[in-house]
Amino acid sequence: DTAVSQTPKYLVTQMGNDKSIKCEQNLGHDTMYWYKQDSKKFLKIMFSYNNKELIINETVPNRFSPKSPDKAHLNLHINSLELGDSAVYFCASSQPGTTEVYGYTFGSGTRLTVV
Amino acid sequence: RKEVEQDPGPFNVPEGATVAFNCTYSNSASQSFFWYRQDCRKEPKLLMSVYSSGNEDGRFTAQLNRASQYISLLIRDSKLSDSATYLCVVNIYGGSQGNLIFGKGTKLSVKP
């Protein structure tokens, strides 16, 4: 059973389109995250949700909108895709009180290519 | 100054070598520290947490110096399977309000 699963694994789309990436975790964690890894391999946090509430919202264009229907799911919707959005997007989760020992668990990533 | 800085490498070492990676962080309020490993086209995976007293897990030893804001990872007796990018990671708030800040990673290539 995959702990943090993302779909799709690969996404190729044209500029201007709107797309969604889904994430689900079966670890019972309260907190979920979206990270972006760009072409230079730098991992940067985008959003964090704790029990469906937004707690971190880094400087990200408002074309990116996260949605958490329940604490096991955190989806990412992107409007009007741009070439610069091409990257690998990682979902992650963690449990308060254990983060200091176990860090975050990451999904396998969604490789987004905008053409 | 970047929040978490690492030597990007690459480090090219022969099997059996000992290799050390260093990392510095800028926020003195940082709460917890980790080394993650990322294989090519894969997700980051936790290698080990780093504790103030230093800790060891098999061939891997991590050290933390809070006064110098410095973290290190030592790999002894390198194996081919150790080839990966090693990410120094700092949690600047702690707990559920935490925000893991990643270094850019140090690439290690272990050759036969």
Side-chain angles (χ1 to χ4, degrees):
Chain A
D1 247 2
T2 306
V4 181
S5 58
Q6 297 178 228
T7 52
K9 197 168 173 66
Y10 299 95
L11 184 53
V12 181
T13 188
Q14 289 189 323
M15 276 173 54
N17 283 351
D18 303 339
K19 289 292 177 188
S20 290
I21 308 172
K22 295 187 176 182
C23 179
E24 176 181 3
Q25 53 95 3
N26 63 8
L27 297 166
H29 288 170
D30 285 339
T31 311
M32 295 184 72
Y33 312 84
W34 278 110
Y35 274 79
K36 177 180 179 180
Q37 188 168 42
D38 59 26
S39 56
K40 294 181 180 167
K41 308 297 182 193
F42 187 44
L43 260 170
K44 196 168 161 118
I45 192 163
M46 300 173 71
F47 301 103
S48 167
Y49 270 73
N50 186 55
N51 214 356
K52 301 194 298 173
E53 270 190 54
L54 180 67
I55 54 171
I56 292 175
N57 182 353
E58 292 295 306
T59 308
V60 174
N62 59 14
R63 298 181 295 103
F64 290 79
S65 51
K67 283 191 172 49
S68 182
D70 56 62
K71 74 172 195 178
H73 295 83
L74 180 62
N75 304 322
L76 184 64
H77 189 76
I78 316 170
N79 289 327
S80 304
L81 277 153
E82 300 178 357
L83 293 176
D85 298 332
S86 297
V88 182
Y89 292 84
F90 286 102
C91 178
S93 72
S94 71
Q95 182 60 21
T98 69
T99 309
E100 289 79 6
V101 176
Y102 298 114
Y104 299 174
T105 303
F106 283 83
S108 58
T110 295
R111 189 169 295 271
L112 171 66
T113 305
V114 182
V115 297
Chain B
R1 184 181 169 187
K2 294 195 179 84
E3 289 181 282
V4 180
E5 290 205 64
Q6 297 180 247
D7 181 342
F11 283 54
N12 297 310
V13 304
E15 265 187 297
T18 295
V19 60
F21 303 139
N22 302 318
C23 166
T24 56
Y25 60 94
S26 60
N27 190 328
S28 59
S30 299
Q31 299 282 329
S32 47
F33 310 88
F34 309 90
W35 283 101
Y36 271 72
R37 169 191 170 132
Q38 187 172 23
D39 291 282
C40 189
R41 300 178 80 86
K42 299 282 189 185
E43 72 272 24
K45 288 187 177 169
L46 181 66
L47 178 66
M48 57 198 301
S49 302
V50 186
Y51 302 121
S52 296
S53 53
N55 47 302
E56 190 174 304
D57 182 2
R59 297 181 293 109
F60 299 85
T61 301
Q63 298 278 354
L64 168 65
N65 183 326
R66 284 188 187 264
S68 304
Q69 295 177 204
Y70 172 93
I71 307 162
S72 66
L73 176 69
L74 185 77
I75 306 176
R76 289 182 299 278
D77 189 22
S78 301
K79 312 288 184 197
L80 296 177
S81 57
D82 293 334
S83 297
T85 296
Y86 290 83
L87 303 166
C88 177
V89 185
V90 170
N91 186 2
I92 62 171
Y93 299 119
S96 64
Q97 303 303 314
N99 175 4
L100 290 194
I101 307 294
F102 284 76
K104 286 194 174 184
T106 300
K107 188 169 181 180
L108 172 65
S109 185
V110 182
K111 308 287 188 190

